Amino acid sequence: MTLIFISRKVVISPNNQLVLNQNFRKNDYFYVAMQKYKEIYQNIVDHKSTKTKLLAILLDPDKIDWSQFDTLVDQINNSPATHVFIGGSLVFSSRIDELILRLKAQIQLPILLFPGDPSQISKKADGILFLSLVSGRNPDFLIGHQVKSAPILKSSGLEIIPTAYILIESGGQTAVERVSQTKPIAREQHELVVATAMASEMMGSKMVYLEAGSGAKCAVPTSLVKNVVTNVDIPVIVGGGITSANEINEMYAAGADLVVIGTAFENDYRFFEHFQNELNIKTL
C-alpha cells in the first residue's frame, strides 16, 4: 500500500483519507520525512493535486504562555494540524530557537518560519515561508528584508519557499498593516488581487498567501479565495480572522489548500476540541 506523507504521524492512504502512520514512533522520523523535510513544498503540491486540505497553527513567540506549554503541545498533538508556523509581524522574544526545539521534542509536524523580518530567522526550523508583501509598495517588505536574509538563509539548511503575501482589507487596521506601513487591497477589488497573485506566480512565487491579518474582524471573502484559486496553479494559503470550523470548511470549499489558525488558537488552546468532528480535512 502506498502512503503519501502529510506529517510524521499522519499519512494519506490510497483512497485519500487521513490515517495514522503505523510506523510512527514519538520523536522519530519515518522514511519520507528524512533529510530535514526537504520535501515540505512538494508535499503541499501533492496534497493540492489530490484536493487534500491542510491546516497550520500559527504561533507568535511573544504570545506563548510558557507556564501552559505542556497544554499547548497536547492541544497541537490532538488537533488536525498538519503544519506549525512560527512568527509574527513584530516579535521581541529572544526565545524563538528554544520554542522550536521544545516543540520539535514533543510534536511530530514540520515547523515553518513565518517571519516579519530577518531577526525572526531560526536555523532550528524545518523551512521558511520566504514572504514578499506584494500587495504593498514598501520596498523593505517587497525585497529589502529578503536581501538582508539571503546570506543567512543560504547557509541555514532551511527549505526556502518563496511566497507571495497579499494583505486583504479586514475591517480594521491589523498588525501587519501597521508594521509594514502599507495598505491592504480592498475586499471588493478581486481583479487586482487576482492579477497580483498571477504576477507573483509568473515571477516565481511557489505559493500565494491571502492574509486578512492577525485578529482581523473579517476573514478573506470566500468568493475572492475562489477567484484566486481559479487563476493560479500554485497552492493558496488563507489566514486571518478565521474563528470557527464552519469558516475553515468554507475556505476549503472555496479552494484554499491550507488554512492558518492563529489568534483563535492563541486565545483558546482548546479551540479544536470544540470542533472535533466538524472539519473537512479530507478530499473535497
mmCIF file of all heavy atoms in Angstrom, residues 27 67 97 112 172 202 207 253 266-267:
data_model
loop_
_atom_site.group_PDB
_atom_site.id
_atom_site.type_symbol
_atom_site.label_atom_id
_atom_site.label_comp_id
_atom_site.label_asym_id
_atom_site.label_seq_id
_atom_site.Cartn_x
_atom_site.Cartn_y
_atom_site.Cartn_z
ATOM 1 N N ASN A 27 9.048 11.192 18.485
ATOM 2 C CA ASN A 27 10.399 11.733 18.336
ATOM 3 C C ASN A 27 11.217 10.989 17.284
ATOM 4 O O ASN A 27 12.437 11.015 17.294
ATOM 5 C CB ASN A 27 11.161 11.724 19.664
ATOM 6 C CG ASN A 27 10.484 12.597 20.699
ATOM 7 O OD1 ASN A 27 9.866 13.592 20.361
ATOM 8 N ND2 ASN A 27 10.580 12.213 21.965
ATOM 9 N N SER A 67 4.035 28.911 30.920
ATOM 10 C CA SER A 67 3.519 28.126 32.045
ATOM 11 C C SER A 67 2.495 27.094 31.580
ATOM 12 O O SER A 67 2.198 26.144 32.295
ATOM 13 C CB SER A 67 2.892 29.037 33.098
ATOM 14 O OG SER A 67 1.711 29.658 32.599
ATOM 15 N N ASP A 97 14.450 30.121 19.078
ATOM 16 C CA ASP A 97 15.152 28.845 18.972
ATOM 17 C C ASP A 97 14.649 27.866 20.028
ATOM 18 O O ASP A 97 14.390 26.690 19.735
ATOM 19 C CB ASP A 97 16.658 29.036 19.155
ATOM 20 C CG ASP A 97 17.332 29.629 17.927
ATOM 21 O OD1 ASP A 97 16.655 29.791 16.892
ATOM 22 O OD2 ASP A 97 18.541 29.921 17.999
ATOM 23 N N LEU A 112 7.523 25.615 10.114
ATOM 24 C CA LEU A 112 7.921 26.610 9.122
ATOM 25 C C LEU A 112 7.940 27.999 9.744
ATOM 26 O O LEU A 112 7.022 28.367 10.479
ATOM 27 C CB LEU A 112 6.931 26.611 7.944
ATOM 28 C CG LEU A 112 6.991 25.406 7.005
ATOM 29 C CD1 LEU A 112 5.765 25.367 6.116
ATOM 30 C CD2 LEU A 112 8.249 25.452 6.150
ATOM 31 N N GLY A 172 -10.519 46.642 9.781
ATOM 32 C CA GLY A 172 -9.777 47.429 10.763
ATOM 33 C C GLY A 172 -8.287 47.285 10.511
ATOM 34 O O GLY A 172 -7.855 46.384 9.788
ATOM 35 N N MET A 202 3.980 34.217 -11.934
ATOM 36 C CA MET A 202 4.818 34.378 -13.119
ATOM 37 C C MET A 202 6.249 34.762 -12.761
ATOM 38 O O MET A 202 7.199 34.427 -13.489
ATOM 39 C CB MET A 202 4.206 35.436 -14.049
ATOM 40 C CG MET A 202 2.893 35.023 -14.675
ATOM 41 S SD MET A 202 2.118 36.406 -15.586
ATOM 42 C CE MET A 202 0.540 35.678 -16.008
ATOM 43 N N MET A 207 3.939 29.853 -3.718
ATOM 44 C CA MET A 207 2.638 29.835 -3.057
ATOM 45 C C MET A 207 2.102 31.256 -2.965
ATOM 46 O O MET A 207 2.867 32.220 -3.019
ATOM 47 C CB MET A 207 2.730 29.225 -1.656
ATOM 48 C CG MET A 207 3.137 27.772 -1.639
ATOM 49 S SD MET A 207 2.753 26.913 -0.062
ATOM 50 C CE MET A 207 3.905 27.710 1.046
ATOM 51 N N ALA A 253 -13.834 24.777 0.890
ATOM 52 C CA ALA A 253 -14.795 24.646 -0.207
ATOM 53 C C ALA A 253 -14.517 25.659 -1.315
ATOM 54 O O ALA A 253 -14.777 25.402 -2.496
ATOM 55 C CB ALA A 253 -16.220 24.812 0.318
ATOM 56 N N GLU A 266 -4.508 30.991 19.875
ATOM 57 C CA GLU A 266 -3.806 31.694 20.951
ATOM 58 C C GLU A 266 -4.761 32.022 22.104
ATOM 59 O O GLU A 266 -4.395 31.923 23.276
ATOM 60 C CB GLU A 266 -3.213 33.006 20.431
ATOM 61 C CG GLU A 266 -1.981 32.842 19.564
ATOM 62 C CD GLU A 266 -1.528 34.170 18.991
ATOM 63 O OE1 GLU A 266 -2.233 35.192 19.194
ATOM 64 O OE2 GLU A 266 -0.480 34.201 18.332
ATOM 65 N N ASN A 267 -5.969 32.419 21.751
ATOM 66 C CA ASN A 267 -6.947 32.812 22.769
ATOM 67 C C ASN A 267 -7.545 31.620 23.505
ATOM 68 O O ASN A 267 -8.058 31.766 24.619
ATOM 69 C CB ASN A 267 -8.064 33.633 22.125
ATOM 70 C CG ASN A 267 -7.583 34.989 21.644
ATOM 71 O OD1 ASN A 267 -6.551 35.491 22.101
ATOM 72 N ND2 ASN A 267 -8.314 35.588 20.719
#
